[in-house]
């Protein structure tokens, strides 16, 4: 196993300084917090430059690590601000950056090459292949998707990189990094930290008109912490940067009890449930027990239980500073000399000499007991004396104020030494030096289909991507009939790496080489087989540095994120071919636990023909591939040719999912005239953008 540490790290959220203090005083080994500008929790207080330095110093003094989140999608016009944020984290001496964006990682390596990088759960890593890819790129740690089972996590632990697993907190219905619901409905992007929590609203399936088909109970793997430690997981992560300090304290204490003693006391468990719950907790993904019992929402009884009496009792547990750093010291006082105090924490040693001389005592001489009593008064600091040696001449005198001053000066210098650990080298590099905007080429049309029954018109497409797990005989037939066929690896790859590898071997054997990949694990598998790589929208490529990374990794082309505006698309640099989705029912969520299960509907009942309805009567398609379910938008996206012609792109993609007329497409140029386009459609986010 890759984990060499004796104990799994307890990693706590810190939405603000009060939560950070609560985490440290409750026993966290590390905290993660957001920089003001770029954080996946913009509603949290987060930290500016000065607050970040103060926070890191406080944590380091207590031996606690700090990971700074810059885990959102960042556009080119924000890169100067991003540069400042990365430098700020390095100057504050953060222990790592947590990033979603390959472009952000690329810039961070350029600016602060020694600052460790953690791959955010927003990267949607849910396979060993994805973990291995990031390990080979130099990431120190990978934060795994919450939807993974114990066996899937175990497989990832075979790779010599740190793994971080969420053990408590909110569960999004969608795989992190693959949710566009909030963005499409209200312009508030979850990938930008502005999620409106659309999933907590009423959505019904089947005959249940009062359901909450997208609301899951909170995740809790606290009782499985020992198993995670045994597997080789490095860090047990608590979700909740938008929750109050009392929640942070309660969750940290529960995790510490489980790790240190093997159980959580009844009182602690009751407190944790009382401070925040959605009708209880679930471990369904970890145990592989998906279904209706995983769904839940915040009820009146949950809210009532979290009263001020409970919060007050929790605050009492962390109101005082903890003294968790053991020190030893030596005090020397000789007649006619300046007394000296030396203190060591085992790594740093500080020695201070008083300005006052020791003189002969007139009344009460200084003795060892009095010295120890004064010098070991370390209340309000992180330190506690394990041993203090005294070497004092007889019949000498020294004011107690001199002892107090010595103690304060020595501990202050020890604070300073402990707070600064890394001293990173920072490069003041130009961001877009010698990078020119992309010059659009003659545009081609591509298509992505949900099956192999397609019309003759798609023969005109530069590429037609069909599902990887299509019947190989059908794929061969399409190729022989003149279609330029590629295959799409499923966005949800959970537990299917071997099947994917086998399917890639089969399609390669019939002459298919082009592969559409929506996550880093898919890219890694296809690349290892020397296939031609095409990046899908699931990679969330939004800036020039993302595209430079894609070029360097060997991709031939990429689908740009549909959270980009046309204006931003035209400013992107690099030379890699790029395109937009110009038609399709956009996938708003990628779910491992199907919304249908909230209503007790199983696969036999559904037959992959289900829809979900919101409180306004809008209906959303639910399309399942046997492993994951995509929630599709209620209306299709459509961008006309005249708008596409103004873009600096190489191609546009027609994304077919639920359409039956795809079998009848006879001329791709006539696509704009299809009758379905006379119904309601959306232009998506290309014009209005996202927060």
């Amino acid at each position: 196993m890759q984990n060499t540490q004796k104990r799994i790290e307890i990693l706590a959220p810190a939405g603000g300084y009060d939560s950070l203090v609560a985490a440290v005083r409750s026993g966290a080994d590390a905290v993660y917090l957001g920089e003001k500008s770029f954080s996946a929790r913009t509603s949290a207080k987060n930290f500016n430059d000065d607050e970040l330095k103060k926070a890191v110093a406080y944590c380091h003094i207590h031996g606690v690590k700090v990971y700074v989140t810059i885990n959102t999608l960042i556009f080119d016009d924000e890169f100067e601000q991003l540069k400042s944020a990365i430098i700020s984290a390095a100057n504050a001496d953060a222990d790592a950056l947590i990033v979603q964006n390959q472009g952000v990682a690329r810039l961070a390596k350029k600016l602060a090459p020694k600052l460790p990088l953690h791959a955010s759960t927003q990267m949607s890593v849910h396979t060993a292949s994805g973990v291995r890819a990031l390990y080979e790129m130099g990431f120190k740690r990978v934060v795994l998707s919450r939807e993974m089972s114990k066996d899937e996590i175990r497989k990832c632990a075979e790779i010599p990189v740190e793994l971080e697993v969420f053990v408590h907190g909110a569960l999004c219905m969608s795989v992190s990094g693959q949710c566009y619901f909030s963005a499409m409905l209200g312009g508030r992007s979850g990938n930008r930290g502005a999620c409106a929590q659309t999933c907590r609203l009423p959505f019904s399936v089947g005959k249940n008109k009062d359901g909450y088909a997208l609301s899951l109970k909170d995740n809790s793997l606290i009782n499985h912490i020992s198993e995670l430690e045994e597997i080789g997981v490095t860090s047990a992560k608590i979700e909740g940067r938008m929750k109050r300090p009392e929640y942070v304290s309660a969750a940290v204490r529960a995790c510490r009890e489980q790790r240190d003693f093997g159980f959580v006391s009844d009182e602690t468990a009751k407190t944790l449930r009382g401070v925040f719950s959605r009708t209880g907790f679930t471990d369904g993904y970890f145990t592989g027990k998906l279904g209706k019992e995983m769904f839940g929402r915040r009820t009146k009884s949950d809210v009532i239980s979290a009263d001020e009496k409970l919060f007050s009792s929790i605050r009492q547990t962390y109101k005082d500073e903890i003294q968790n750093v053991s020190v030893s010291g030596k005090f020397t006082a000789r007649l006619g000399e300046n007394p000296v105090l030396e203190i060591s924490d085992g790594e740093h040693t500080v020695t201070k000499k008083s300005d006052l001389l020791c003189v002969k005592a007139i009344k009460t001489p200084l003795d060892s007991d009095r010295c120890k009593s004064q010098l070991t008064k370390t209340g309000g600091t992180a330190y506690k004396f394990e041993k203090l040696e005294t070497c004092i001449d007889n019949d000498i005198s020294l004011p107690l104020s001199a002892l107090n001053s010595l103690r304060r000066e020595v501990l202050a210098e020890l604070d300073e030494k402990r707070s600064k650990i890394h001293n990173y080298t920072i490069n003041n590099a130009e961001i877009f030096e010698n990078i020119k905007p992309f010059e659009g080429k003659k545009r081609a049309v591509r298509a992505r289909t949900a099956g192999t029954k397609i019309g003759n018109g798609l023969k005109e497409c530069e590429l037609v991507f069909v599902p990887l797990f299509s019947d190989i005989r059908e794929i061969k037939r399409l190729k022989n009939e003149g279609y330029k066929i590629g295959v799409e690896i499923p966005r949800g790859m959970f537990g299917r790496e071997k099947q994917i590898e086998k399917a890639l071997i089969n399609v390669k054997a019939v002459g298919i080489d082009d592969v559409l990949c929506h996550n880093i694990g898919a890219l890694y598998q296809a690349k290892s087989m020397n296939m031609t790589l095409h990046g899908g929208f699931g990679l969330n490529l939004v800036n020039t540095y993302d595209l430079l990374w894609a070029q360097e990794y060997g991709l031939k082309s990429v689908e740009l994120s549909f959270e980009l505006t046309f204006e931003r698309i035209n400013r992107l640099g690099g030379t890699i071919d790029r395109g937009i989705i110009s038609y399709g029912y956009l996938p708003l969520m990628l779910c491992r636990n199907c919304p249908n299960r909230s209503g007790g509907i199983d696969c036999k009942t559904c037959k992959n023909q289900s829809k979900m309805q919101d409180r306004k009567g809008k209906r959303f398609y639910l399309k399942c591939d046997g492993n994951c379910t995509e929630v599709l938008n209620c209306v299709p996206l459509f961008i006309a040719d005249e708008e596409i012609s103004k873009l600096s792109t190489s191609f546009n993609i027609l994304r077919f999912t639920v359409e039956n007329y795809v079998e009848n497409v006879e001329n791709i140029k006539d696509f704009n005239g299809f009758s379905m386009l006379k119904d309601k459609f959306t232009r998506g986010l290309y014009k209005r953008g996202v927060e």
Side-chain angles (χ1 to χ4, degrees):
M1 291 179 193
Q2 96 279 11
N3 187 6
T4 57
Q5 67 181 41
K6 292 181 180 179
R7 309 166 89 188
I8 193 169
E9 171 187 88
I10 306 301
L11 174 58
Y17 198 79
D18 289 346
S19 291
L20 179 135
V21 170
V24 172
R25 292 182 181 177
S26 300
D29 302 303
V31 299
Y32 64 102
L33 51 85
E35 195 274 340
K36 278 284 187 187
S37 304
F38 307 107
S39 167
R41 293 293 181 268
T42 56
S43 296
K45 292 181 181 178
N46 296 316
F47 295 76
N48 63 28
D49 290 359
D50 291 338
E51 292 166 343
L52 185 57
K53 288 180 181 178
K54 178 184 175 184
V56 173
Y58 178 78
C59 288
H60 282 180
I61 288 167
H62 282 280
V64 173
K65 292 183 178 180
V66 179
Y67 310 133
V68 175
T69 61
I70 305 184
N71 57 339
T72 61
L73 299 186
I74 299 172
F75 303 128
D76 277 4
D77 48 285
E78 300 170 318
F79 258 55
E80 285 295 339
Q81 193 176 359
L82 169 64
K83 177 181 175 180
S84 298
I86 294 170
I87 291 174
S88 174
N91 279 330
D93 210 48
D95 295 279
L97 281 185
I98 306 174
V99 301
Q100 170 180 8
N101 234 204
Q102 291 289 356
V104 174
R106 193 177 191 276
L107 182 61
K109 290 174 185 177
K110 190 174 182 178
L111 295 173
K114 297 296 183 182
L115 179 59
L117 296 177
H118 294 181
S120 170
T121 189
Q122 290 287 115
M123 278 196 185
S124 312
V125 178
H126 56 275
T127 59
S129 56
V131 173
R132 186 168 294 282
L134 292 169
Y135 164 64
E136 292 180 4
M137 288 179 201
F139 281 83
K140 183 180 181 182
R141 179 180 294 186
V142 178
V143 188
L144 296 176
S145 292
R146 293 168 173 86
E147 295 79 10
M148 295 177 69
S149 69
K150 178 180 177 179
D151 289 341
E152 289 161 358
I153 295 171
R154 189 188 298 277
K155 187 71 175 175
C156 294
E158 296 173 4
I159 299 155
V161 68
E162 293 181 3
L163 296 181
E164 186 172 296
V165 172
F166 281 92
V167 297
H168 193 80
L171 268 182
C172 297
M173 186 64 187
S174 176
V175 174
S176 294
Q178 300 301 308
C179 183
Y180 310 95
F181 219 136
S182 175
M184 286 298 296
L185 267 63
R188 294 178 57 183
S189 170
N191 283 318
R192 298 266 294 161
C195 179
Q197 295 196 325
T198 307
C199 53
R200 303 301 179 187
L201 296 173
F203 287 92
S204 59
V205 292
K207 297 179 181 180
N208 181 8
K209 302 303 179 184
D210 300 312
Y212 286 80
L214 300 181
S215 183
L216 296 173
K217 294 177 181 176
D218 277 14
N219 174 51
S220 191
L221 305 185
I222 293 176
N223 292 334
H224 299 285
I225 281 179
S226 297
E227 295 172 73
L228 291 169
E229 189 173 68
E230 180 272 329
I231 287 171
V233 172
T234 302
S235 183
K237 185 172 193 172
I238 300 164
E239 184 276 339
R241 277 190 289 141
M242 291 193 294
K243 294 192 176 75
R244 52 193 299 158
E246 295 88 345
Y247 163 86
V248 174
S249 174
V252 169
R253 289 185 184 279
C255 290
R256 281 294 298 253
E257 286 184 14
Q258 182 64 46
R259 183 191 68 181
D260 297 347
F261 308 121
F263 66 93
V264 178
S265 68
D266 291 342
E267 182 180 355
T268 300
K270 182 180 178 181
T271 298
L272 183 57
R273 177 160 181 164
V275 76
F276 195 92
S277 168
R278 289 186 174 93
T279 58
F281 305 124
T282 179
D283 61 0
Y285 285 131
F286 185 76
T287 59
K289 297 177 181 177
L290 310 184
K292 187 176 182 179
E293 62 278 3
M294 283 188 66
F295 290 82
R297 63 188 180 92
R298 193 120 165 100
T299 63
K300 184 177 179 180
S301 61
D302 295 320
V303 175
I304 290 173
S305 67
D307 59 13
E308 181 52 35
K309 182 179 179 181
L310 175 64
F311 291 140
S312 178
S313 67
I314 296 172
R315 285 195 295 272
Q316 290 300 309
T317 66
Y318 64 83
K319 66 182 178 65
D320 297 321
E321 185 61 280
I322 57 166
Q323 296 177 290
N324 65 330
V325 181
S326 297
V327 293
S328 59
K330 181 178 180 180
F331 177 70
T332 304
R334 303 294 185 193
L335 182 64
E337 297 180 5
N338 303 90
V340 176
L341 177 61
E342 177 183 284
I343 291 181
S344 174
D345 63 359
E347 182 178 357
H348 308 95
T349 300
V350 178
T351 303
K352 286 284 184 183
K353 183 183 290 187
S354 175
D355 293 334
L356 298 177
L357 292 174
C358 296
V359 297
K360 190 169 182 64
I362 297 174
K363 293 182 179 179
T364 307
L366 186 67
D367 61 25
S368 178
D369 288 343
R370 179 178 281 186
C371 283
K372 288 182 178 180
S373 174
Q374 290 301 122
L375 293 174
T376 58
K377 288 181 178 179
T378 56
T381 75
Y383 308 107
K384 61 180 178 181
F385 272 92
E386 293 292 326
K387 181 177 70 172
L388 177 62
E389 180 184 350
T390 58
C391 298
I392 305 171
D393 282 353
N394 294 326
D395 293 327
I396 64 168
S397 177
L398 189 70
L400 294 184
S401 60
L403 296 177
N404 294 336
S405 180
L406 264 180
R407 182 192 68 240
R408 286 193 297 268
E409 290 176 14
V410 169
L411 293 183
E413 187 170 328
L414 186 56
D415 275 352
E416 191 173 335
K417 286 181 177 291
R418 288 179 62 85
S419 66
K420 200 74 172 176
I421 298 172
H422 307 288
N423 295 303
Y424 299 112
T425 299
I426 299 172
N427 303 317
N428 188 23
E430 289 295 323
I431 297 175
F432 295 115
E433 188 176 16
N434 299 323
I435 299 175
K436 298 179 181 179
F438 179 73
E439 294 182 7
K441 302 178 180 179
K442 183 179 179 182
R443 282 166 196 80
V445 178
R446 297 181 180 181
R448 176 271 187 194
T449 67
T452 53
K453 293 182 179 180
I454 56 180
N456 288 328
L458 296 191
K459 289 180 181 178
E460 301 172 41
C461 291
E462 179 184 57
L463 275 170
V464 178
F465 291 105
V466 299
L468 174 62
F469 291 122
S470 300
D471 188 322
I472 193 65
R473 294 168 297 184
E474 283 293 290
I475 292 177
K476 189 174 181 179
R477 173 186 66 80
L478 290 173
K479 182 177 183 296
N480 290 340
E481 289 179 4
Y483 295 90
K484 302 173 188 69
I485 296 296
V487 291
E488 179 186 39
I489 295 178
R491 291 169 64 209
M493 297 168 61
F494 298 95
R496 295 198 285 185
E497 285 179 288
K498 288 184 178 179
Q499 296 98 307
I500 289 169
E501 181 183 8
K502 183 178 179 181
L504 288 174
I505 290 172
N506 289 340
V507 299
K508 193 170 185 179
V510 299
I512 304 299
D513 189 62
D514 295 280
V515 185
L516 183 60
C517 306
H518 292 280
N519 61 64
I520 189 64
L523 283 173
Y524 189 86
Q525 282 200 260
K527 185 177 183 178
S528 67
M529 297 179 65
N530 297 313
M531 302 185 83
T532 301
L533 307 179
H534 302 273
F537 71 87
L539 289 169
N540 292 318
L541 304 178
V542 298
N543 59 59
T544 295
Y545 270 53
D546 284 342
L547 301 185
L548 294 176
W549 165 81
Q551 288 174 215
E552 292 168 359
Y553 199 70
L555 278 73
K556 184 177 180 180
S557 73
V558 296
E559 295 178 356
L560 298 173
S561 167
F562 49 78
E563 293 192 77
L564 281 167
T565 61
F566 287 157
E567 183 182 0
R568 284 185 166 125
I569 287 170
N570 285 336
R571 291 204 299 259
L572 291 172
T575 59
I576 192 170
D577 284 345
R578 74 284 307 269
I580 67 162
I581 297 175
S582 60
Y583 168 76
Y585 287 85
L586 292 179
L588 303 184
M589 282 186 169
L590 177 68
C591 309
R592 194 169 193 188
N593 196 0
C594 180
N596 272 323
R597 288 175 171 157
S598 69
I601 301 171
D602 59 21
C603 295
K604 291 180 180 179
T605 306
C606 167
K607 298 180 181 179
N608 211 9
Q609 298 296 318
S610 293
K611 291 183 180 181
M612 178 185 71
Q613 184 168 301
D614 71 4
R615 66 194 191 285
K616 296 180 180 179
K618 293 180 180 178
R619 295 167 66 82
F620 301 81
Y621 290 99
L622 303 177
K623 299 308 292 183
C624 174
D625 68 358
N627 191 34
C628 288
T629 300
E630 287 185 329
V631 178
L632 306 183
N633 201 8
C634 52
V635 293
L637 169 80
F638 175 67
I639 305 298
D641 283 347
E642 55 265 30
E643 294 181 282
I644 297 171
S645 66
K646 299 174 185 176
L647 295 177
S648 298
T649 51
S650 316
F651 58 87
N652 59 288
I653 309 106
L654 308 175
R655 186 176 175 84
F656 298 109
T657 48
V658 297
E659 298 84 354
N660 24 25
Y661 56 80
V662 68
E663 302 175 30
N664 303 316
V665 176
E666 291 296 333
N667 190 329
I668 206 68
K669 294 178 182 177
D670 294 335
F671 179 74
N672 284 1
F674 271 95
S675 59
M676 64 88 200
L677 293 177
K678 296 175 183 176
D679 297 328
K680 289 184 178 180
F681 63 89
T682 177
R683 289 189 172 86
L685 300 163
Y686 291 130
K687 293 288 186 71
R688 55 191 171 104
V690 293
E691 291 182 25

